[in-house]
Amino acid sequence: MKFLKGLLSLIVLILVLGGAATGAGWVWMQNALNQDGPLAEDVTFTVEPGEGLASVASRLEKDGIIRDAKLIRLKARLDGTETSIKTGEFLIERAASTSDVLKSLVDGKGVLHKITLPEGRTTAQLLKIIEADPVLTGDMPAEEIAEGSLLPDTYLFNRGMTRAQLIAKMQKAQADLLEELWPLRDPDIPVTTPYEAVILASVVEKETGRVDEQPDIAALFTTRLKRGMRLESDPTIIYGVSRGEPLYNAKGQRRTLRRSEIDTKTDWNTYQIDGLPKTPICNPGRGAIAAVLNPPHTEYIFFVADGKGGHLFAKTLNEHNQNVAAYRAYERKEIARERAGE
């Protein structure tokens, strides 16, 4: 009987000591996980596509971001996040603990990069910007990207995004915008489909670099279409000649349109064809699309550059001729001023 009591006491003692050791180990691990890390300053750390936790943990230790790769792997195993680490580039703050580092990689709030795709560029021109970006990955899509199908904007992305993914994102952004704005359109506009709206918006986009002028330009073209007049937009001629690339003379200098180009009929030359061009002539932004879908009510049917970055609008040919004369006078004055300063 005494033997059994002694054995039971020994078992209890072992269990107590084991529990104490386990508790002490847990406390030690929590302290190790949450103590300040070795980083002396903020750094960025990149998790490559397909990279596993073992490789990531090893590099974190090697780069001096954490003290012990085994500890972060144990933490991830206990949390069930071994396969939850995101791909991308992450900001690790100075003295970040092992727990903080793991949380940053699992939450996926990586460093954001940006790329600006300007309004009024052709698809070919935007694709060149995307192809040249040093952070995006992957090849350009093999399939042709339709003219006018991308929504220009400044896009934020994590390292690891492919060029194909960004292009798809831009196409979806335009589709979403049209889905939002098309039901709110003025029912009297002379476009019958969202695609026609993009075509007209592309002409508006190329005609003015000023967002505040886009509604008036859109209204003017709307009036012309309703009256059966041709758009007579110079950028549509250029697109038919060079697919939107600038025109140059033999000396490599930018040039204006030639009479032969104005007189040549193409699928885009709105001096020679009725209605809209065959396709968009660039990728219009939100402002131009919104202006086309809900233009203000004006009676403008003519416009000419004012020489100051804007345009002069007219309701009659007589008013237009006066505006043209004013622009020519401004041009002569500027030329004389430049020569005087030489």
Side-chain angles (χ1 to χ4, degrees):
M1 193 66 162
K2 288 182 179 180
F3 173 76
L4 290 175
K5 287 183 178 180
L7 180 60
L8 288 172
S9 297
L10 179 61
I11 291 171
V12 169
L13 179 61
I14 291 172
L15 290 173
V16 169
L17 291 175
T22 300
W26 180 257
V27 170
W28 173 87
M29 186 179 75
Q30 290 303 311
N31 287 337
L33 286 169
N34 293 297
Q35 68 176 316
D36 286 350
L39 273 181
E41 58 184 18
D42 297 352
V43 299
T44 55
F45 180 82
T46 302
V47 178
E48 302 294 342
E51 190 174 17
L53 176 62
S55 172
V56 170
S58 176
R59 289 199 298 111
L60 286 169
E61 180 180 331
K62 181 180 178 181
D63 293 350
I65 296 174
I66 60 174
R67 293 185 175 88
D68 189 346
K70 297 186 184 67
L71 185 61
I72 197 170
R73 293 177 65 182
L74 176 61
K75 168 69 172 171
R77 189 176 302 116
L78 293 173
D79 291 346
T81 57
E82 287 180 284
T83 60
S84 300
I85 292 176
K86 304 295 190 300
T87 297
E89 190 174 28
F90 303 90
L91 176 66
I92 309 297
E93 296 182 350
R94 180 186 67 83
S97 68
T98 299
S99 290
D100 291 336
V101 172
L102 181 61
K103 181 173 172 41
S104 295
L105 303 184
V106 170
D107 286 351
K109 296 178 181 178
V111 174
L112 290 175
H113 299 269
K114 70 177 182 179
I115 183 171
T116 298
L117 291 307
E119 295 89 347
R121 303 291 180 88
T122 66
T123 292
Q125 290 166 344
L126 292 182
L127 294 181
K128 286 180 181 178
I129 297 174
I130 293 171
E131 186 173 20
D133 187 271
V135 180
L136 292 168
T137 63
D139 296 330
M140 297 295 288
E143 67 275 11
E144 183 179 354
I145 308 301
E147 186 66 85
S149 65
L150 307 173
L151 185 68
D153 204 343
T154 294
Y155 289 87
L156 301 177
F157 63 95
N158 295 111
R159 184 179 291 275
M161 174 174 267
T162 67
R163 292 174 173 85
Q165 287 172 336
L166 176 62
I167 291 167
K169 184 176 183 178
M170 295 177 71
Q171 290 176 317
K172 184 177 185 302
Q174 189 197 77
D176 290 346
L177 177 63
L178 290 169
E179 184 177 357
E180 171 195 344
L181 297 183
W182 181 253
L184 305 176
R185 70 192 182 281
D186 183 335
D188 293 329
I189 57 176
V191 294
T192 59
T193 65
Y195 184 63
E196 286 185 352
V198 172
I199 293 176
L200 184 54
S202 74
V203 181
V204 170
E205 189 74 69
K206 290 299 291 185
E207 282 288 3
T208 180
R210 286 175 43 177
V211 175
D212 63 307
E213 274 197 344
Q214 288 177 344
D216 284 334
I217 299 287
L220 183 149
F221 284 143
T222 294
T223 300
R224 293 184 72 92
L225 288 171
K226 285 182 176 181
R227 294 186 184 184
M229 301 173 67
R230 289 178 173 172
L231 295 182
E232 296 186 349
S233 167
D234 289 0
T236 65
I237 303 175
I238 296 172
Y239 192 86
V241 173
S242 66
R243 293 300 184 270
E245 293 299 324
L247 302 178
Y248 297 94
N249 60 24
K251 296 180 179 179
Q253 301 166 325
R254 290 284 291 268
R255 66 171 176 83
T256 57
L257 287 164
R258 298 179 178 132
R259 170 49 61 181
S260 61
E261 292 166 340
I262 297 173
D263 293 339
T264 299
K265 185 175 181 179
T266 70
D267 289 330
W268 295 272
N269 184 351
T270 54
Y271 280 80
Q272 301 299 325
I273 62 173
D274 298 330
L276 298 171
K278 178 182 178 180
T279 70
I281 61 171
C282 72
N283 291 273
R286 182 186 183 98
I289 294 174
V292 162
L293 293 176
N294 283 281
H297 296 286
T298 71
E299 296 182 4
Y300 297 136
I301 55 174
F302 299 105
F303 68 110
V304 66
D306 63 4
K308 304 172 185 177
H311 292 85
L312 301 171
F313 296 87
K315 299 177 183 178
T316 67
L317 182 57
N318 183 53
E319 290 177 357
H320 177 60
N321 288 336
Q322 292 176 18
N323 288 339
V324 171
Y327 171 63
R328 299 301 182 202
Y330 174 82
E331 266 192 326
R332 289 192 294 271
K333 182 179 178 181
E334 287 298 299
I335 292 173
R337 186 179 63 81
E338 289 177 6
R339 288 177 177 173
E342 291 179 354

